[in-house]
Each structure stands twice: as C-alpha cells, then as structure tokens.
DNA sequence: AACACCCCCTGTCGGC
DNA sequence: TGCCGACAGGGGGTGT
C-alpha cells in the first residue's frame, strides 16, 4: 500500500486515537518484522503518552513522553486497524488474517491499534527523539515532495549528469523521499516525461531544467494532492485505519493499465508496461518524451 | 559514485 | 480443481 499519500492517510487516521493518549499495554506477538524489535520494546512503550504523530517520507513517527520516538515503516503490506468506541472512530470487520496481527497497542481512551503485515517488510524502532534526524535511516533522506524545496531548479541539480532513467531517480529516496512506484509512474505521465529518459537529458548543458522537467514539480504535487484527497489508493483491499477504503486507484492514468488507451486528450496511445530495476513501469510511449 | 540486481516474505491471480 | 510461476505499494545490501 504505502507511499506518501497512504502513509499520510494512515497518520491522519491514527492521530485521533493516539495523540495525547497513554499506552496502557502492548502486545508484541513475534520477535521481529523486517528487523528484530528493539530490546524491551513493549516495556519502553507501556505507560508512555504519545505527544504527537508525525510523518517523514514513508515513515510514521510517534513522539513519546519518555523522550523516545517510535519509528514505524509499513513496508509493502503493513496496515493499521483502530478498534474502539472513541468518538470519530468506528469498528470495522477484521477482514485481514489475525495470523498477521503482529503488534497491538492498547490505548487508555479505550481504543486499540493493531499492526497487521503479512509480508513483514515493515519495521518498528525506538530512537531518542532528538536523534531521529541523525539516525542512519533519516540522515540521507531527500526532500519532502510536498515541501517548498521541490522545484525545477532542485530537480535540475538532482538530475544533471545522471545516466539513470528518470523513473529510477524519482524512486531514489535520497533525492525525493516519499514517492513510490505508483506515483512516480503517474507523475511522469502527467508531466509528459518518459520514465526511460536518462535524467541528464532533462537538464540543459547550462544546468537549467528543460521545459519537460519544469512541468514535473507541479505534476508530482498534483498527483499527491489528488491521492491524499481520495484517502490514498487501495490495492488488494487495503484499508485505512478507520476501516474505509481510499479510492485513488480509480484515478490511475497509467499504473496497472497496460493495454488501455492513454487518457491524455487527443493522444491515442496505448499504455505499455516495461520493467525497470526489476519493477513494473507503466507509461504512454506516445505522449511521454523523449522516446527511448 | 553510480547503477543494476538480488533478497527479505506471504498472498493472489492467471494460465495450463 | 489443482498446481506453478509471476508479480505485488519498499528498500537494504552487495557486486560491478
């Protein structure tokens, strides 16, 4: 599920249950996810109050009154479920296998927050709050794609001289942090840029953004904003924390649409699927330039 | 340094 | 119906 719009949607769903509330009890049902849980994981959370729930890139950060921050990443298949009768929350069916309910946080307001992750590519860490930015995972992270730093000049600096394809550069979390396979494909289509184009070809000899590259910041912002407004994308029945389904997948223009007509007005092309760096890329060979 | 590839793990889906 | 390979929203690690 989780690229920036999905993680932010999860954050918004969990915040009412967690922010300002105290953790009464934690069930940690296995020793590890992608990585081992931190030593004394449950004990270090028990009795702690959650001061705030933040997001950085695709990470969720729960700042605790102990001075530690619970760092959570959802990997490919992680999701949270909130159960309880807290105002603003509601029960929803446990439609995912309880065999993959790996962590349950019992909150003093009567809610419980369950982390489910079949593939276990997600993970949880505890890091001193003041050291999060210096942590190995965060130190090299790139800019937030919805922040003011994303503009054509930034992309020109990032892409200049690079031979890697534009798709790979946009997926590189050290440049821009938060985009994933879906929204990179969607943003490149909206900007009319081929995912196969070498990054450096989108920058002039003088280091200026080409016209195509100059369209990319708005394309990224627009697709992320639209996805956020839709509550993210729900593939394979992934649910938001409150049990509802995001619906941006109905607005995909290219992702998972191989063989479909390109939605660009007057284009007439057909969406293609290719593999780049081992992952599917969807694009329109007719309106995404330059052609490979 | 930059890039390509493999891997982690489970579930699902399409083809035969 | 059953089996089997391909593939899935991420990203860390390694080899060239």
């Amino acid at each position: 599920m989780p690229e920036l719009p999905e993680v932010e949607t999860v954050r918004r769903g969990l915040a009412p249950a967690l922010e300002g509330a105290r953790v009464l009890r934690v069930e940690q049902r296995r020793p590890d996810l992608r990585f081992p849980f931190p030593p004394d994981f449950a004990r270090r959370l028990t009795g702690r109050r959650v001061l705030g729930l933040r997001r950085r890139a695709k990470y969720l950060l729960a700042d605790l009154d102990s001075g530690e921050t619970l760092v959570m990443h959802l990997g490919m298949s992680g999701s949270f479920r909130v159960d309880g009768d807290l105002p603003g929350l509601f029960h929803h069916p446990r439609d995912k296998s309880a065999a993959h309910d790996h962590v349950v946080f019992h909150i003093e307001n009567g809610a419980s927050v369950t982390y489910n992750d079949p593939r276990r590519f997600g993970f949880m860490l505890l890091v001193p709050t003041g050291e999060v930015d210096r942590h190995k995972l965060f130190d090299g992270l790139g800019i937030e794609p919805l922040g003011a730093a994303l503009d054509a000049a930034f992309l020109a600096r990032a892409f200049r001289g690079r031979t890697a394809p534009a798709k790979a550069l946009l997926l590189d979390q050290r440049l821009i942090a938060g985009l994933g396979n879906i929204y990179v494909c969607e943003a490149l289509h909206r900007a009319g840029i081929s995912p196969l184009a070498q990054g450096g070809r989108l920058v002039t000899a003088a280091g200026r953004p080409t016209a195509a590259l100059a369209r990319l910041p708005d394309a990224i912002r627009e697709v992320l904003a639209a996805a956020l407004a839709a509550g993210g994308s729900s593939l394979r029945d992934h649910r938001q924390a409150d049990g509802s389904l995001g619906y941006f997948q109905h607005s995909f223009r290219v992702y998972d649409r191989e063989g479909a007509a390109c939605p660009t007005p007057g284009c007439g092309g057909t969406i293609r699927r290719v593999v780049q760096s081992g992952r599917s890329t969807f694009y329109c060979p007719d309106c995404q330039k330059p052609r490979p």
Side-chain angles (χ1 to χ4, degrees):
Chain A
M1 166 175 82
E3 301 181 35
L4 187 152
E6 292 74 34
V7 176
E8 177 61 22
T9 296
V10 169
R11 191 197 68 76
R12 294 175 185 180
L14 292 180
L18 291 183
E19 286 189 328
R22 196 177 293 280
V23 179
L24 294 183
R25 188 164 61 90
V26 176
E27 298 176 55
Q28 175 197 328
R29 297 180 175 171
R30 52 174 300 124
D32 55 31
L33 294 172
R34 174 169 188 164
F35 307 122
F37 281 94
D40 298 315
F41 178 70
R43 182 185 63 71
R44 287 156 76 181
L45 293 173
T46 301
R48 300 277 63 85
R49 188 174 297 281
V50 178
L51 302 177
L53 187 62
R54 297 181 284 146
R55 179 193 57 76
R56 169 74 170 109
K58 302 173 191 173
Y59 292 88
L60 285 171
L61 304 168
D63 297 317
L64 309 174
D65 65 357
S66 58
E68 292 194 299
T69 293
L70 172 60
V71 175
M72 297 172 280
H73 195 288
L74 303 177
M76 288 279 268
S77 60
S79 63
F80 283 100
R81 185 181 73 244
V82 177
D83 295 289
D85 43 25
L86 189 70
L89 300 176
F90 56 88
H91 300 268
H92 64 82
R94 293 170 146 262
D95 62 344
K96 306 186 80 76
S97 170
H100 303 304
D101 285 350
H102 303 309
V103 183
V104 183
F105 304 93
H106 297 275
I107 312 300
E108 69 174 345
N109 51 25
S112 67
V113 174
T114 301
Y115 180 69
N116 182 289
D117 188 354
R119 293 176 75 178
R120 303 200 302 276
F121 289 170
F123 55 87
M124 297 189 187
L125 306 175
L126 284 165
V127 178
T129 301
E131 297 176 16
V132 169
D133 290 344
R134 275 170 276 153
H135 189 280
K136 178 183 174 186
L137 291 173
F138 295 88
D139 185 34
L141 273 187
I143 63 168
E144 284 285 327
L146 290 176
L150 178 65
D151 58 22
F154 172 87
L155 290 177
R157 285 193 300 274
F159 282 29
R160 189 176 191 185
R162 300 292 298 265
T163 58
K167 163 91 183 295
L169 295 174
L170 291 180
L171 278 177
D172 186 344
Q173 304 296 298
R174 295 168 300 184
L175 299 177
I176 301 174
L179 300 179
N181 207 33
I182 292 176
Y183 298 109
V184 164
C185 291
E186 294 295 316
L188 286 169
H189 180 263
R190 287 176 183 234
I193 296 172
S194 169
L196 308 178
Q198 290 189 334
R201 291 195 57 193
L202 300 168
V203 183
T204 68
R208 304 282 302 165
T210 59
L213 192 62
R215 292 192 295 268
L216 194 49
D218 277 347
I220 291 169
R221 274 188 285 272
E222 286 167 12
V223 73
L224 293 180
L228 267 170
S233 302
S234 301
L235 275 60
R236 287 166 268 290
D237 281 344
H238 250 289
R239 285 173 184 276
Q240 299 179 30
D242 70 354
S244 59
L245 291 165
Y247 51 88
F248 190 72
Q249 68 277 12
H250 301 302
S251 300
F252 292 166
R253 298 186 185 179
V254 293
Y255 186 82
D256 205 18
R257 293 180 51 80
E258 182 181 21
C262 175
T264 299
C267 172
T270 301
I271 305 305
R272 279 196 61 193
R273 172 184 176 273
V274 296
V275 175
Q276 293 180 282
S277 316
R279 307 185 69 189
S280 290
T281 296
F282 299 90
Y283 76 108
C284 173
D286 285 2
C287 69
Q288 292 182 252
K289 305 290 173 61
R291 298 199 194 200

